[in-house]
Amino acid sequence: MSGRETATTRIQVYLTDPRVVAALHREARAANIPISQAAGRSLAKGLARSLPADPDDRLLQLDRALKDHMRATARDVQIIQELVVEVARAFFMRLPDAITDQDPVARAAVDRRIERLLDDTAARLISGGAARRADGASSPGEVGK
């Protein structure tokens, strides 16, 4: 006899879900094995504690790509936050305090300009990209015109 003998158990299973049947047929065709062996493999995978990764599993690849993207995005956002704090620190170190800093009219004007800047930025993001000037630079004032 050849090298290994394994005990086989015969079971009878009735499948009513056509998607499961189609998946078993695909698995059997891909591995060039009978459908019963494909069913056995599928059962073994399902009963295993950790599923071995199928290199052709597009959902798994998508999940990994999304995790990589999330890590990179989190890192980029942290860098941007640190840069904003550094810019604010440099700005306030070089800008002397003035009496007009406490003036409610001046504060309202600054708040209005900041709100307009934020609205223009949001409009650019919603429209799917930055508005471009003739020289190629983006211009916050061009949005909505």
Side-chain angles (χ1 to χ4, degrees):
M1 287 203 170
S2 65
R4 64 178 210 193
E5 289 183 28
T6 57
T8 59
T9 302
R10 180 181 167 102
I11 61 169
Q12 190 170 3
V13 178
Y14 298 98
L15 301 173
T16 57
D17 188 352
R19 292 178 296 178
V20 172
V21 174
L24 280 175
H25 280 290
R26 275 194 311 272
E27 180 82 20
R29 235 185 349 259
N32 199 22
I33 57 175
I35 194 167
S36 60
Q37 287 181 356
R41 277 186 177 182
S42 298
L43 284 170
K45 283 182 187 177
L47 294 173
R49 287 184 185 260
S50 63
L51 298 173
D54 180 9
D56 295 330
D57 188 357
R58 291 190 300 172
L59 187 58
L60 184 61
Q61 291 173 355
L62 182 62
D63 182 53
R64 287 180 182 154
L66 182 59
K67 284 180 183 175
D68 291 344
H69 175 71
M70 287 170 38
R71 261 193 303 275
T73 302
R75 180 201 63 220
D76 293 348
V77 167
Q78 183 178 5
I79 291 169
I80 290 169
Q81 287 174 338
E82 291 175 12
L83 285 171
V84 167
V85 169
E86 288 301 317
V87 167
R89 183 175 289 122
F91 179 75
F92 290 125
M93 288 292 292
R94 285 159 181 78
L95 187 66
D97 287 339
I99 296 173
T100 58
D101 289 346
Q102 303 304 320
D103 182 23
V105 175
R107 282 182 170 237
V110 169
D111 288 342
R112 186 180 49 90
R113 290 174 68 188
I114 289 172
E115 287 297 321
R116 189 174 62 213
L117 174 69
L118 292 173
D119 289 342
D120 290 347
T121 302
R124 261 196 320 277
L125 291 173
I126 290 170
S127 71
R132 295 283 173 190
R133 293 191 310 222
D135 63 357
S138 77
S139 171
E142 290 183 355
V143 175
K145 291 186 178 178

